[in-house]
Amino acid sequence: MFDHIGLSVGNLGQSIAFYTTALAPLGIRVVKQGEGWAAMGKADRVEFWLDTFGTKQLPMHIAFAAENREQVRAFYAGALSAGGRDNGSPGIREIYHPNYYGAFVIDPDGHNVEAVCHKPEA
């Protein structure tokens, strides 16, 4: 549905450090970077932008797809080590469906960031 999403952040360096560490287990990295912005994605495809040009958004929810539950756990550990705050440890969320396995953290700007896998345990 979406081609890409962008967030205006309060501190670009802090956000790049947080997202680089948190999203590395999902294969997401900084693909391009310039003055006041950074673009992240997989295999040089930009899908997630960070910048300091706009007004910082009110807290929102962003969910990143994980290929397996281990990636969800690694995302959570990385996000916490990079300064994220716990907002829901890795686990099944049956309210959504029986194989919904997600983890939630609050990023430096107050956004609820999630990694989710919809597959059963391998």
Side-chain angles (χ1 to χ4, degrees):
M1 179 188 300
F2 299 109
D3 182 71
H4 62 275
I5 187 168
L7 288 180
S8 291
V9 298
N11 181 313
L12 184 61
Q14 183 181 29
S15 291
I16 290 171
F18 171 81
Y19 282 103
T20 297
T21 302
L23 299 178
L26 307 179
I28 299 169
R29 63 181 179 78
V30 174
V31 175
K32 298 178 183 179
Q33 191 170 349
E35 185 65 36
W37 62 272
M40 302 184 77
K42 294 181 180 181
D44 298 329
R45 181 168 171 355
V46 173
E47 298 178 71
F48 184 58
W49 292 80
L50 301 169
D51 72 57
T52 57
F53 304 131
T55 302
K56 190 175 99 171
Q57 290 91 353
L58 293 173
M60 56 191 293
H61 176 78
I62 305 166
F64 291 91
E67 294 176 20
N68 55 56
R69 294 179 183 191
E70 180 53 39
Q71 285 185 347
V72 173
R73 291 187 286 270
F75 154 84
Y76 181 76
L80 292 181
S81 76
R85 295 188 330 262
D86 170 56
N87 199 33
S89 62
I92 293 289
R93 302 318 198 264
E94 287 185 2
I95 189 170
Y96 304 123
H97 67 75
N99 287 314
Y100 193 107
Y101 189 86
F104 304 82
V105 295
I106 303 298
D107 83 351
D109 289 297
H111 302 294
N112 181 24
V113 183
E114 173 186 7
V116 61
C117 175
H118 297 279
K119 301 174 188 172
E121 186 73 72

